[in-house]
Amino acid sequence: MTGSTDLSAPASAADGAPPAPRELRHAFAGFATGITVVAALVDGRPVGMLANSFSSVSLDPPLAALSFARTSTTWPRLRRVPQWGISVLGEHHKADLARLSRPASARFDGVTWKTTDHGAVFLDQVTTAFQVSIQTEVDAGDHVLTLLRIHALHRSPTAAPLIFYSNQLHGLGTARL
């Protein structure tokens, strides 16, 4: 391994205090994530939000995880329905991000989506789609860590993912290392 990172005296450790939220957010921005939309039909309308905290947890049983901020107004509405769709966005969804960032009542206006018989909502032409339900919830400070049981999935063989890194959007295209 070349190079090194000196963690012996991080900036916030000088006074024994934990990292400040701003410092922590900046550090987390150094970890690339995909961008997902978690959504379901609630009272006959699509309800959902962008999330980049999605991660794999277990192959057997099939589990994934998402973290929801306790301040979210969308999260309590999603909790009321039995199944959700998780759409992993591709590079071609970049134009949808502004729409999906609007207030909840207008979030899906102008966005093409479909639903399952169980009420899970998916955006069209996603790189990967997961149909999930809540397995369990874990108190995680200002968030709720939600373990999700995966019931069904689909992965596009050709779609390139949209990546969020250093507070900016990136694409992978077809380049491989």
Side-chain angles (χ1 to χ4, degrees):
M1 184 161 105
T2 60
S4 66
T5 301
D6 181 10
L7 294 178
S8 61
S12 61
D15 61 4
R22 183 179 173 123
E23 181 182 14
L24 192 55
R25 183 181 298 270
H26 178 72
F28 283 150
F31 181 70
T33 66
I35 301 174
T36 67
V37 173
V38 54
L41 283 183
V42 177
D43 300 326
R45 292 187 42 89
V47 171
M49 61 188 190
L50 292 165
N52 72 332
S53 62
F54 181 74
S55 64
S56 63
V57 174
S58 172
L59 298 176
D60 186 18
L63 299 173
L66 269 173
S67 294
F68 295 93
R70 292 190 183 279
T71 57
S72 170
T73 58
T74 301
W75 162 236
R77 297 184 67 205
L78 285 172
R79 289 181 75 214
R80 297 182 3 214
V81 295
Q83 291 195 4
W84 311 333
I86 296 178
S87 300
V88 180
L89 302 186
E91 291 176 356
H92 57 281
H93 289 107
K94 188 174 180 180
D96 288 328
L97 290 180
R99 292 181 190 99
L100 293 164
S101 298
R102 292 183 292 205
S105 62
R107 199 163 284 159
F108 287 87
D109 294 349
V111 176
T112 307
W113 56 274
K114 56 189 167 211
T115 186
T116 68
D117 292 340
H118 297 285
V121 170
F122 298 98
L123 271 59
D124 278 349
Q125 301 178 347
V126 296
T127 65
T128 308
F130 298 92
Q131 187 171 327
V132 302
S133 62
I134 296 175
Q135 175 84 16
T136 191
E137 297 173 336
V138 178
D139 180 24
D142 60 358
H143 280 66
V144 175
L145 176 64
T146 307
L147 294 179
L148 305 167
R149 170 75 62 154
I150 300 170
H151 299 283
L153 54 87
H154 172 77
R155 180 165 180 222
S156 168
T158 58
L162 188 60
I163 304 296
F164 190 66
Y165 173 74
S166 198
N167 296 318
Q168 296 181 351
L169 297 173
H170 300 270
L172 292 181
T174 58
R176 294 181 190 258
L177 299 178

